[in-house]
Amino acid sequence: MPTLLHVDSSVWPGSASASRTVADAFRKTWEEQHPDGTVIYRDLALNPVPHLDAVGASAGFADPATHSPEQAAAFAERLRLIEELEQADAVLIGAPMYNFSIPSTLKAWLDQVILMGRTAGETPSAKGTPVTVVASRGGSYAPGTPREPFEYVQNYLRDLLGTMLGLDVDFIVPELTLAHSTPAMSELIPLAEASRTKALEDADARAKELAARFSADAA
């Protein structure tokens, strides 16, 4: 049965987080379609991975036979995360926008799993794996909006996940998530509700589409 790698990065727990709520909807449908499948779950807010440092970075460019004990330990951690990505048949990532970018915990995870000559390079080891990114944001950065030039989350992750790692990237974007808590945005509440509803519907549809794809591949 298929394996799903689910990565959350919101600092907010449960339903207080739009990205977690939508990702949970995807996962619920996925598990309904694959009751005997495997889910590898990483909550980067509760259990952050180490930021890549000189020891871990240098280990990635050196022959493992020459690793110092510190390099060997750092590289083992990188390999554990890389193998989770490589084992996954599908990937689900919660990527809320913080200060126009992704959470630093998600950036740390990405830096750990990007390894030239393995997950990145001419033949990325997870190439073609479908990845669904729930890119929530408090406002709107859609084409034609005043803040379109500040949309760095989708642009960044599309290039990094799609071009560098060779993954098949799809985005679900619940936006205007601050409308209910920000008086100046109160008139946008109907649009925020519509965006939330669409995101939940898209999560359900995406999970079902992937389930059908894997069922067809197994037939």
Side-chain angles (χ1 to χ4, degrees), residues 41-61:
Y41 181 57
R42 284 203 166 269
D43 188 331
L44 299 177
L46 289 179
N47 297 292
V49 302
H51 283 272
L52 189 63
D53 59 13
V55 175
S58 63
F61 293 102

Side-chain angles (χ1 to χ4, degrees), residues 2-127:
T3 295
L4 174 69
L5 173 60
H6 178 185
V7 179
D8 269 329
S9 62
S10 172
V11 298
W12 305 110
S15 60
S17 163
S19 64
R20 288 181 185 271
T21 298
V22 175
D24 284 348
F26 177 106
R27 178 170 167 176
K28 179 175 182 292
T29 298
W30 172 274
E31 291 179 326
E32 289 171 350
Q33 301 294 317
H34 302 293
D36 298 321
T38 300
V39 176
I40 302 170
Y41 181 57
R42 284 203 166 269
D43 188 331
L44 299 177
L46 289 179
N47 297 292
V49 302
H51 283 272
L52 189 63
D53 59 13
V55 175
S58 63
F61 293 102
D63 182 342
T66 68
H67 283 173
S68 68
E70 294 77 15
Q71 286 179 314
F75 195 61
E77 173 67 13
R78 293 190 72 182
L79 287 181
R80 185 162 65 94
L81 299 172
I82 286 169
E83 287 168 0
E84 287 180 352
L85 175 63
E86 293 172 337
Q87 292 166 7
D89 296 289
V91 181
L92 172 65
I93 299 175
M97 178 186 281
Y98 293 159
N99 301 317
F100 304 134
S101 187
I102 61 174
S104 64
T105 52
L106 180 55
K107 179 62 164 59
W109 178 81
L110 289 167
D111 286 341
Q112 293 285 4
V113 300
I114 296 170
L115 182 61
M116 293 303 299
R118 183 158 176 171
T119 58
E122 293 185 5
T123 56
S125 55
K127 183 176 181 178

Side-chain angles (χ1 to χ4, degrees), residues 139-171:
S140 179
Y141 299 78
T145 63
R147 290 203 167 191
E148 178 185 358
F150 298 97
E151 205 307 294
Y152 301 116
V153 171
Q154 285 178 268
N155 293 336
Y156 169 68
L157 291 177
R158 183 180 292 109
D159 288 341
L160 189 147
L161 297 172
T163 303
M164 193 170 189
L165 298 185
L167 305 177
D168 179 12
V169 187
D170 184 74
F171 288 95

Side-chain angles (χ1 to χ4, degrees), residues 130-207:
V131 54
T132 303
V133 179
V134 181
S136 59
R137 60 275 316 275
S140 179
Y141 299 78
T145 63
R147 290 203 167 191
E148 178 185 358
F150 298 97
E151 205 307 294
Y152 301 116
V153 171
Q154 285 178 268
N155 293 336
Y156 169 68
L157 291 177
R158 183 180 292 109
D159 288 341
L160 189 147
L161 297 172
T163 303
M164 193 170 189
L165 298 185
L167 305 177
D168 179 12
V169 187
D170 184 74
F171 288 95
I172 298 174
V173 186
E175 61 180 13
L176 302 170
T177 62
L178 291 177
H180 288 280
S181 60
T182 305
M185 296 176 65
S186 60
E187 64 182 24
L188 299 175
I189 288 177
L191 292 176
E193 289 294 330
S195 178
R196 173 186 169 88
T197 297
K198 184 178 185 303
L200 292 170
E201 291 173 348
D202 287 348
D204 180 70
R206 175 66 171 169

